Structure formats: structure tokens, C-alpha cells
Amino acid sequence: MAGEDYGPRTVVTGGPVELVVLWGGFPLLGAGAGALLALAAGWVAGLPWAPVQWLFNLLDRLPEQQAIAGTAAVGALAGLVIAGVGTAERLVVTVDAARVRLRRAGEDRHVTRAETRVVFVDSGDLVLLDADSAELVRESTDLPGPRLAAAFRTHGWGWADGDPHRSAYRLRVPDLPGLPAGADALLRARERAIQRDRRDDARALRRELGRIGVVLRDERKRQYWRLTGRAVTPGAEEPTSAEQGSDGR
């Protein structure tokens, strides 16, 4: 919360090198690609199967220096747009003894150490689990695992070098027993979303499954699932205790 002092903190970001690559590298690559496009316009325009031939014919009719300057400028502008999107989508992780702050695209998420049992990186995702092995956070990131591990361990968080519940996952098969009520329908819907590359739908369905005690991992567009300690399966009087006690410490 604003104004509260949580003591020393560690910030993990891509650093200035990442920003140099984004704001210097992408515009340069875009400009270079644009210039090459102008130089190759005449050759491409002569290919009967080439798409958007009208564009290449137009570039071929322009004076060479004018065509190169124009396409290079458009390419550089496209590189700047990509750099802006990349900068906004960078994950910034700030860790202290009491909580972790996750900032991406102007949005902040805060998770306390008290509610977190274990932290780890899984297939490029930063994951925080609670005492029932449910996911508090799953955020994609390209931040180095060793730097994240050092940040969390420095401030006393439970860090694991891999998913401590990995062996509990089962391949999603239609109508497989053992799932909470409604989970199979959600898994079917999410499978369709994955096949159609509807990422926002897939993320929303993952959250819905999490609410009924199902945690997912994706491998090559296949879904694997496990249950949390709060999941209630058909015929069960008490919540399951899937993998209780495995905190990776």
C-alpha cells in the first residue's frame, strides 16, 4: 500500500540493455528491412505469384533513393511501435520481505509473503502457489531464473528450482473421472480456444478452472491438470489434499 515501508527491496527487470535492444535494435532492423524491400521491388514485381504486386510495382517506378528512404522510414516507425509494445509488456518484479509487486503494461499486482507458500519458474512463467497448492500468480516472463531466485531467497521467500507438483499433473482426456463438477466443460472450451489461438479466452478459462480447484499446465497445445487442496470432486465429502506439504523447501 502507498506510504508503507516494507524495508529493503530487490527489483528484477530486463535492465538498460533490454531497452537499448528494444529502442535501438528494432528500429534499425525495421529500417534495414524496409530498404531491402525497396531494392528488391523490381525483382519481386516480376514474379507472377508474388502478393501485393501493385505495391512492388509502385516502389519500382519511384526513384531509387526516394523509395529506399520511404520504406526505411516506414520500417523504422514499425520498429518503434514494436519497441513501445515490448516496453509496456515487460514484467518488473519488486520483492521485499512482506510482498512482491508485479508490474506490466501499467498494471500492478501485489501478493503477500504470508499467503505464498512457494515460488518458482515453470516453462517461462513466474508462478506463486498458496498453502493449498493453488496458483496465486502465473505471469509469463523472460527474466533470468537465477536473478528471480536470488531476489526471492534474499528476502526469505520459499523458492523452488522447479514445480514441486509436476508429478501430479495428468493429461486432459475427455470425460476422465476425478475432476470437479463443470471442469470437463471448461477444459473442452479452453482446448478449442488454444487450437484457435484465442489467448485471452484461454487465460479467462484458466482462471475459472482455478476457482474450482484445477491447476493447468500447457505443453504443445495439450492440457495437463492437477487438483488443489480446495478442489471438491464428485462423491468427495472433503476437499482433496493433493500434494499437501510439498513446498519445495
Side-chain angles (χ1 to χ4, degrees):
M1 297 180 186
E4 291 190 36
D5 183 9
Y6 293 95
R9 55 181 58 90
T10 303
V11 180
V12 185
T13 71
V17 173
E18 185 179 65
L19 291 175
V20 169
V21 171
L22 284 170
W23 291 99
F26 281 107
L28 285 174
L29 285 173
L36 288 174
L37 183 68
L39 291 172
W43 174 72
V44 177
L47 300 175
W49 48 265
V52 292
Q53 280 195 335
W54 65 268
L55 175 60
F56 293 104
N57 282 318
L58 175 62
L59 290 174
D60 191 40
R61 288 196 296 268
L62 291 173
E64 184 176 270
Q65 293 302 318
Q66 184 178 342
I68 291 174
T71 54
V74 171
L77 180 60
L80 288 171
V81 171
I82 293 172
V85 172
T87 300
E89 289 298 318
R90 290 197 316 160
L91 181 66
V92 179
V93 180
T94 305
V95 190
D96 59 42
R99 67 175 186 172
V100 59
R101 175 192 181 195
L102 307 166
R103 179 163 55 86
R104 188 199 297 275
E107 296 184 0
D108 281 348
R109 293 186 64 184
H110 297 87
V111 181
T112 67
R113 179 181 165 191
E115 62 186 319
T116 305
R117 185 163 194 171
V118 63
V119 188
F120 56 93
V121 172
D122 176 51
S123 301
D125 293 338
L126 177 64
V127 183
L128 280 70
L129 302 182
D130 66 13
D132 287 318
S133 78
E135 288 183 351
L136 295 166
V137 166
R138 178 178 281 270
E139 285 282 351
S140 62
T141 180
D142 55 4
L143 293 172
R147 288 182 59 197
L148 288 168
F152 281 97
R153 284 174 170 154
T154 295
H155 297 285
W157 293 62
W159 177 271
D161 291 327
D163 188 346
H165 304 282
R166 189 179 182 91
S167 62
Y169 285 90
R170 302 170 65 185
L171 177 64
R172 187 263 163 175
V173 178
D175 303 316
L176 188 71
L179 284 164
D184 196 63
L186 291 170
L187 285 165
R188 283 198 302 270
R190 190 171 183 273
E191 184 174 314
R192 289 193 295 270
I194 292 172
Q195 294 299 328
R196 296 169 184 173
D197 203 28
R198 295 179 177 174
R199 298 181 183 180
D200 290 342
D201 290 347
R203 281 193 290 267
L205 288 162
R206 174 191 285 275
R207 289 193 294 269
E208 290 299 316
L209 285 156
R211 290 188 180 100
I212 59 175
V214 180
V215 179
L216 299 177
R217 61 180 294 119
D218 297 319
E219 294 182 12
R220 299 179 182 178
K221 294 193 174 183
R222 292 183 294 183
Q223 299 182 98
Y224 292 78
W225 60 271
R226 66 171 175 82
L227 301 180
T228 72
R230 294 192 295 271
V232 179
T233 56
E237 296 181 358
E238 300 291 338
T240 65
S241 55
E243 301 293 308
Q244 286 188 1
S246 297
D247 62 1
R249 288 184 278 178

